Each structure stands twice: as C-alpha cells, then as structure tokens.
Amino acid sequence: MKLAVCINHVPDTAAKINISADGKNIDKTGVNFVFNPYDEYAVEECLRLKEKNGGEVIAVSLGSDANKETLRKALAMGVDKAVLLKDDSPRDSFSVARALADYLKEISPDVIFFGKQSVDSDSAVVGVMVAEMLGLPSVSVAVKLEISNGSAVVEREIEGGKEKIRTSLPAVFTAQKGLNEPRYPSLKGIMAAKSKPIEEKIPAAVQPKVDVIALRKPASKSAGKIVGTDIGAVPELVRLLHEEAKVV
Ligand SMILES: Cc1cc2nc3c(=O)[nH]c(=O)nc-3n(C[C@H](O)[C@H](O)[C@H](O)COP(=O)(O)OP(=O)(O)OC[C@H]3O[C@@H](n4cnc5c(N)ncnc54)[C@H](O)[C@@H]3O)c2cc1C
C-alpha cells in the first residue's frame, strides 16, 4: 500500500507574530516554525496503516528549505521517504493544492492524508481541493479509520455526534485531533533521520486565485478595572457587567 502524507511547516502558535512592513505578510524574524499539529495525526495514521498492511509512507511538504526541519521530524517518526516541493514564493491555498496534486498524481498513492487544517492561515481546504483536482473521494475531519479489501470505513466528527462513511480507495482523508496519539520520534529515529536524503522537486508556478490585501492584529485589550477588594464592590461589579460589558 502506498501512503502519502502532506505536511505543512507553520509558525508555532505560541510565537509572538508581527506584521511585515508591506502589511500583507508576517515578519518571520525570530518566529519559531513547527510541524503543523494536525499533520502529526496524519503522519501517525499513515505509519499505523503501513505497520498493519505493509507498504511505504511518503511525506511531502511545499515550501522553502526551512520545511526540511519538519520533513526530518517525519523521517524520525518513521516515514520512508521525504519530498520537498521547493518554492519560496507566497502561495494561496489553491496554488498549494495545485502543486501537491501535481506531485501526488505522479506517485498515485492508495491513501493520501492531510491535517484538517494548517494552524497559520486556518483555511482547512487544501486536502479537499487536492481530492477534487485528482478526481478522488475525500473524507474530512477523520477520527477513526479502518481499511480492508480496498475500501475504508471512516468516522468523522459532526456537530453533536459522529458520522460513519465508507469509501473506495484511492482516497483523500484529513485528520482531526483524536484520530490517534502521535508517537514521539525515538533517539534512533532522530539519528537515522539526520542522514536520510530529502528529495527536492520544483513545482510549476501557479497564478494564485486570491491575494492577501492586508493583515491586521487584533485590537489590544484595554487594561482591567479593579472595582473594589471586598464584598461591598459586588453591586457595582454587577452593574458594570450588566450595563457596560453586557454579559449578565
Ligand atoms: C500571512 C501569511 C503569510 C504567508 N506567507 C507565506 C509565504 O511567504 N510562503 C509560504 O510558503 N507560505 C506562506 N504562508 C503559509 C501559506 O499561505 C499557507 O500555509 C498555505 O496557504 C496553506 O494554508 P491553508 O490555510 O490553505 O491550509 P489548510 O487548507 O488549512 O491546510 C490543510 C492541510 O493541507 C496540507 N498543507 C497545507 N499547506 C501545505 C504545504 N505547504 N505543504 C504540504 N502540505 C500542506 C496540510 O496537511 C494541512 O494540514 C503564509 C501564511 C500567512 C497566514
């Protein structure tokens, strides 16, 4: 079974983000980039499927040389091959999906996994766009997956419950938290990953469908107000919560 997993390299959600001088991008100076958290579930699921059914796991990331750090972590977790689609230019979700779909078409995997979303631009569309581009069925937000006899039964989260879906393979899946517990790379895996090659390919340039016009940080919160320090302050606190904050 050939399994492919697409991994994004994203700013750490704990990082303090500043906006670049053009007002359209983030200033990457000093920002720590990490393995997109949902993609760790996707990698883990592919590794488990390989352990059960045999085959190989290919990790793919589109971006700059910096993405190699995340690909090395995937190699340390146990993927067999890592591929960098090297492109430093800013891409929207469509042009990311186009480049990934072009590569995936070349290798034609049985199972293609994505995270449910990237924690940088949070669009949650690349996986389903790739499925559409490849003409494959897709099941998003998977929390359980079983594969047998060329088909997959998937549980996905829906409002207030779970939905169970069957699909034929090849197919595209996006991983939700809860699908599994991603493994930590072993020391042996980390050491071995250092010397494993990362294949580089240059994706075709694609005209983006959308442009970022402006990025804005949320308005800074006003300073808190101390109404009083004893029980006598309660009526005033209730009045402020009712009349100013309008929360009670
Ligand atoms: C302000 C800003 C500026 C940016 N500037 C740049 C830039 O200069 N250069 C640049 O490369 N990116 C840049 N990005 C990141 C890039 O735009 C997004 O990561 C990309 O569009 C995917 O985000 P999405 O929300 O569409 O992904 P989603 O649809 O939320 O992602 C879903 C899944 O698709 C897969 N996926 C998404 N992106 C990739 C990828 N690149 N490689 C492999 N798998 C992927 C992952 O499995 C992910 O879990 C920027 C993002 C922001 C917010």
Side-chain angles (χ1 to χ4, degrees):
M1 177 176 282
K2 192 183 269 186
L3 304 120
V5 56
C6 297
I7 311 173
N8 203 0
H9 185 65
V10 295
D12 186 342
T13 48
K16 193 172 179 315
I17 302 288
N18 288 313
I19 294 170
S20 59
D22 68 0
K24 297 181 178 184
N25 222 317
I26 61 167
D27 180 358
K28 294 181 185 159
T29 321
V31 175
N32 185 34
F33 279 70
V34 296
F35 204 122
N36 183 43
Y38 293 106
D39 302 351
E40 292 196 34
Y41 301 110
V43 170
E44 178 62 35
E45 199 61 21
C46 287
L47 293 174
R48 290 182 189 202
L49 287 170
K50 176 193 151 179
E51 283 156 8
K52 203 168 165 194
N53 304 293
E56 63 166 345
V57 181
I58 303 164
V60 192
S61 191
L62 168 76
S64 68
D65 274 330
N67 293 37
K68 285 183 180 171
E69 188 191 325
T70 280
L71 285 170
R72 290 235 176 266
K73 184 172 172 195
L75 285 167
M77 284 174 80
V79 308
D80 299 287
K81 183 175 164 184
V83 179
L84 174 67
L85 303 180
K86 196 170 168 186
D87 186 10
D88 289 337
S89 60
R91 285 185 174 241
D92 65 348
S93 308
F94 169 81
S95 53
V96 168
R98 184 72 270 165
L100 293 172
D102 288 348
Y103 175 68
L104 292 164
K105 191 172 178 190
E106 271 177 38
I107 62 167
S108 51
D110 304 292
V111 168
I112 305 174
F113 245 104
F114 290 82
K116 83 158 178 155
Q117 74 193 83
S118 297
V119 299
D120 54 3
S121 33
D122 284 324
S123 310
V125 292
V126 169
V128 282
M129 274 188 184
V130 167
E132 178 66 18
M133 288 167 176
L134 296 177
L136 295 178
S138 73
V139 185
S140 54
V141 207
V143 289
K144 192 171 174 193
L145 174 72
E146 273 165 22
I147 286 183
S148 62
N149 302 326
S151 72
V153 175
V154 195
E155 272 183 28
R156 55 186 304 277
E157 275 192 351
I158 57 170
E159 187 64 35
K162 286 190 179 143
E163 185 179 40
K164 207 169 185 180
I165 290 186
R166 177 177 293 116
T167 179
S168 58
L169 298 180
V172 171
F173 305 96
T174 78
Q176 166 67 309
K177 185 177 178 186
L179 177 62
N180 50 49
E181 194 54 52
R183 67 195 66 189
Y184 288 105
S186 63
L187 187 59
K188 192 174 158 218
I190 295 169
M191 297 313 288
K194 283 184 199 284
S195 57
K196 282 192 186 165
I198 293 179
E199 190 180 327
E200 289 186 25
K201 288 187 160 268
I202 307 293
V206 179
Q207 190 62 33
K209 298 270 187 199
V210 295
D211 292 321
V212 176
I213 299 170
L215 273 187
R216 242 191 339 254
K217 288 174 88 165
S220 48
K221 289 185 182 154
S222 54
K225 190 191 279 185
I226 297 175
V227 184
T229 53
D230 60 28
I231 197 161
V234 171
E236 176 62 359
L237 179 63
V238 171
R239 187 190 71 75
L240 289 171
L241 289 171
H242 184 62
E243 291 176 12
E244 282 190 14
K246 300 190 191 312
V247 291
V248 292

